[in-house]
Amino acid sequence: MKKIKWVVPTFYIIFLMLPIYWLLNMSFKSTTEIINVYSLWPQDFTLDNYKTIFTDSTWYMGYVNSITYTVFNTIISVSAALPAAYAFSRYKFLGDKHLFFWLLTNRMAPPAVFALPFFQFYSSVNLFDTHVAIALSHCLFNIPLAVWILEGFMSAVPKELDETAYVDGYSFPKFFFKIFIPTIAAGIGITMFFCFMFSWVELLLAKTLTATIAKPIAAIMTRTSSTSGYELGLLAAAGSLTIIPGAVVIYFVRNYIAKGFAMGRV
Amino acid sequence: MNKTLNPKAWYFVIPVFALVAFNAVVPLMTVVNYSFQETFGSNVFQWEGTRWFKEILHSERFHASLGRQFIFTFIILLIQLPLGIAIALTMPKKGWGVPVCLILMSMPLLIPWNVVGAMWNIFALPDIGFLGNSLNSIGFDYNFTQQSGDAWFTTILMDVWHWTSLVVLLSYAGLNSIQPAYYQAAEIDGASRWDIFRYIELPKMKKVLTLAILLRFMDSFMIYTEPFVLTGGGPGNATNFLSLDLVKMALGQFDLGPAAAMSLIYFLIVLLMCWVFYSLMMKDEGRT
């Protein structure tokens, strides 16, 4: 029984890796090879697709743009959500339950619904085509999620911690930054991971709110593939590169994930 | 946890409230505004009352895409939840296997959605894609761009690929929070594997599974980018889900009034469903 346990995760991981492998495989082929030859690995190995991306600024700036607004959004979301989650986990106040649910409803708003009004709204406040606009618009779904996750972690910390600190003469800000935040560091790590993830993968709003300066890589991909024919090899290379920032983030939070997931034990 | 009453706690919530309201209220009011009017471009609007709402609610096209949406969401929840729980149960609990599993399983979650669509497109193409080519070579007549059954199969497989890991991660977190004492007690009582799952693991995972169901419901109900890139709603209207239909109406045909009315109805449906889930689960939590 114990021996066969790893079969399920192994098959699942193989299933997950197959499409990714196929994308990588195609990114090392030329477009003509992709269309004419079916092979499980590149017959005529080439790095031309990657060379194009790293030498053409319209391509590589897309990555810079995407990372900029994603990092920006993660910082805004988590720093705004920290005090709010603390309030929800520790205090009762007028309209707390309604407010919590209202926040969640924004996580439920289909971006397709908001795309057009967002375009008009951000144009009217002169933020159109800036990184700030995308970072702010992604707060719509990231802040509710951040509040929800952080609230869960904070509620797992016993209230005695707060009370002991006050008895020991800590002021609220000192307690919050010196004791409370280190205690829930793992929770913050996980929240940042989720914020980064949802901001990094979102395309509809990011595409609607940008024209040239702040255009995300994902939007550049859709445009380039349609103007210069169907450059499958280039598309595959660009797609493969979008996996890297995510993989890096996972690598950094991997200890936090393991540790953070154990947090519930407290 | 018993919470103290503290009206000043509102100050902590103000930044969040302001940021979300800034994003939510103005655009939502714009949508409401459009939904009652007819526009002929260049900012000329004419009051239409509830005409668009009546039209949408009686339109066959809306019924069809709503139906497809419900079937899709139902199927993926039915597959992803049990699968995610099963994988979380069989995952290694300690050792080098943990980070390897966590890192590899999180990968699909961090790929931009249109790349997911594009990746599955080239993966499933009947001539040059691995999936399509393999299926055809073992005798299936598979072509997702032409047969609606295949398009459904591919879209669902893509969503399972994309999102099951979220359920896995959350379930794994829930499982890890169970203290060893529970298992020891179960062993002493001679509980079977199923009993342990049914009476210890499942109740302990309730909170994270709530989150998983809510997130999966919301996101699958709003799915747009992946099917847009993969199938474009086709063949015909076979995989034309609500969001796809909405964007086609709003930006394709520029029928702002009906599109806005449809948005609101759409939003209300999601809201209602989530409220039902949310209150059912919170009620249970309050009792135990």
Side-chain angles (χ1 to χ4, degrees):
Chain A
M1 180 66 204
K2 268 247 155 75
K3 283 263 160 62
I4 58 156
K5 240 187 159 186
W6 53 269
V7 171
V8 181
T10 311
F11 269 97
Y12 180 62
I13 287 174
I14 292 173
F15 167 62
L16 291 186
M17 290 306 127
L18 269 178
I20 298 181
Y21 169 72
W22 201 247
L23 191 75
L24 281 173
N25 175 17
M26 294 222 161
S27 73
F28 294 116
K29 294 177 177 182
S30 65
T31 301
T32 36
E33 192 193 335
I34 294 175
I35 293 168
N36 297 318
V37 195
Y38 174 82
S39 61
L40 293 179
W41 53 85
Q43 303 292 317
D44 186 15
F45 189 87
T46 170
L47 284 172
D48 284 354
N49 298 320
Y50 289 97
K51 222 177 271 164
T52 314
I53 290 172
F54 283 114
T55 47
D56 185 349
S57 75
T58 50
W59 275 107
Y60 65 74
M61 278 315 286
Y63 291 97
V64 177
N65 289 335
S66 289
I67 291 174
T68 312
Y69 71 74
T70 306
V71 169
F72 202 37
N73 170 268
T74 307
I75 295 169
I76 301 178
S77 299
V78 173
S79 42
L82 269 173
Y86 183 78
F88 282 121
S89 79
R90 290 293 191 263
Y91 301 122
K92 265 190 276 195
F93 50 94
L94 185 67
D96 53 354
K97 289 204 178 98
H98 298 105
L99 189 67
F100 199 61
F101 188 71
W102 174 74
L103 280 177
L104 287 181
T105 63
N106 291 298
R107 180 66 184 67
M108 299 164 199
V113 171
F114 281 119
L116 189 66
F118 261 43
F119 170 72
Q120 293 170 328
F121 177 51
Y122 279 97
S123 304
S124 70
V125 291
N126 282 327
L127 282 173
F128 180 71
D129 205 11
T130 58
H131 298 114
V132 182
I134 310 176
L136 282 177
S137 71
H138 283 178
C139 284
L140 178 71
F141 47 83
N142 267 349
I143 283 191
L145 191 74
V147 171
W148 192 349
I149 299 174
L150 282 174
E151 198 266 345
F153 276 101
M154 288 179 180
S155 295
V157 177
K159 220 178 161 186
E160 285 71 34
L161 183 81
D162 309 27
E163 282 153 7
T164 322
Y166 294 142
V167 171
D168 289 348
Y170 277 86
S171 65
F172 177 74
K174 205 173 164 197
F175 155 72
F176 196 73
F177 291 106
K178 282 264 165 67
I179 299 179
F180 198 67
I181 286 187
T183 315
I184 55 155
I188 296 177
I190 292 195
T191 313
M192 289 176 87
F193 169 72
F194 275 103
C195 286
F196 183 91
M197 162 181 144
F198 280 109
S199 184
W200 176 251
V201 298
E202 206 279 339
L203 171 72
L204 190 60
L205 288 180
K207 194 172 145 190
T208 316
L209 290 175
T210 51
T212 47
I213 306 165
K215 209 166 183 52
I217 179 61
I220 291 171
M221 276 176 66
T222 54
R223 171 175 285 182
T224 313
S225 65
S226 58
T227 50
S228 58
Y230 209 53
E231 289 272 7
L232 275 177
L234 205 54
L235 197 71
S240 308
L241 286 175
T242 62
I243 302 175
I244 295 173
V248 171
V249 173
I250 302 171
Y251 182 78
F252 276 119
V253 296
R254 77 191 188 287
N255 287 327
Y256 275 125
I257 289 186
K259 233 191 264 168
F261 284 156
M263 266 294 287
R265 205 173 285 179
V266 175
Chain B
M1 189 184 298
N2 53 337
K3 303 175 183 177
T4 38
L5 186 69
N6 183 358
K8 280 188 190 141
W10 251 100
Y11 291 120
F12 289 146
V13 190
I14 284 175
V16 159
F17 183 76
L19 276 168
V20 177
F22 176 75
N23 275 308
V25 177
V26 178
L28 191 63
M29 288 326 289
T30 320
V31 176
V32 172
N33 192 18
Y34 284 151
S35 70
F36 293 106
Q37 303 185 64
E38 165 77 290
T39 175
F40 304 102
S42 59
N43 277 325
V44 185
F45 287 96
Q46 185 191 329
W47 178 255
E48 287 289 347
T50 54
R51 186 181 139 201
W52 302 132
F53 289 94
K54 283 182 192 142
E55 251 180 37
I56 290 288
L57 285 173
H58 290 105
S59 103
E60 302 237 328
R61 178 177 162 184
F62 178 70
H63 294 167
S65 49
L66 185 65
R68 279 191 289 267
Q69 187 66 66
F70 269 114
I71 295 170
F72 176 76
T73 299
F74 183 72
I75 293 176
I76 62 117
L77 279 177
L78 213 60
I79 298 175
Q80 290 177 357
L81 277 177
L83 186 64
I85 295 173
I87 294 165
L89 283 172
T90 47
M91 249 172 83
K93 296 271 178 301
K94 49 180 175 283
W96 58 270
V98 178
V100 172
C101 278
L102 288 176
I103 291 174
L104 289 178
M105 285 179 186
S106 318
M107 293 272 286
L109 299 174
L110 280 138
I111 299 175
W113 295 347
N114 71 321
V115 179
V116 172
M119 183 193 283
W120 273 82
N121 192 308
I122 54 175
F123 184 62
L125 278 175
D127 46 352
I128 57 168
F130 179 74
L131 178 71
N133 198 305
S134 310
L135 281 175
N136 277 315
S137 65
I138 55 171
F140 287 100
D141 178 25
Y142 172 88
N143 188 341
F144 77 95
T145 54
Q146 266 154 39
Q147 290 150 15
S148 44
D150 295 347
W152 268 84
F153 169 75
T154 317
T155 315
I156 288 169
L157 197 65
M158 173 179 70
D159 204 75
V160 168
W161 178 87
H162 193 181
W163 287 110
T164 306
S165 294
L166 188 74
V167 184
V168 175
L169 289 181
L170 289 165
S171 309
Y172 187 71
L175 281 176
N176 260 352
S177 72
I178 303 174
Q179 283 154 9
Y182 283 90
Y183 290 109
Q184 288 154 10
E187 207 172 311
I188 292 166
D189 290 346
S192 66
R193 186 70 193 84
W194 169 253
D195 286 337
I196 293 177
F197 175 69
R198 173 65 189 82
Y199 296 105
I200 298 176
E201 289 172 337
L202 207 54
K204 282 280 172 185
M205 282 198 285
K206 199 170 192 173
K207 200 165 183 184
V208 284
L209 285 180
T210 311
L211 188 63
I213 293 176
L214 270 175
L215 285 175
R216 282 317 301 131
F217 173 79
M218 289 186 234
D219 290 335
S220 66
F221 218 78
M222 301 190 288
I223 190 166
Y224 172 79
T225 315
E226 303 99 305
F228 177 75
V229 179
L230 182 70
T231 62
N237 271 329
T239 51
N240 209 6
F241 301 122
L242 267 182
S243 274
L244 289 161
D245 205 26
L246 180 64
V247 173
K248 270 180 198 164
M249 196 187 273
L251 301 174
Q253 306 161 350
F254 223 70
D255 286 335
L256 285 186
M262 186 172 153
S263 304
L264 288 180
I265 297 168
Y266 183 5
F267 190 28
L268 284 178
I269 294 171
V270 184
L271 215 58
L272 188 72
M273 297 289 291
C274 289
W275 183 74
V276 170
F277 275 133
Y278 183 77
S279 43
L280 274 178
M281 282 149 178
M282 287 297 148
K283 207 171 98 197
D284 269 12
E285 201 167 83
R287 205 173 19 180
T288 47

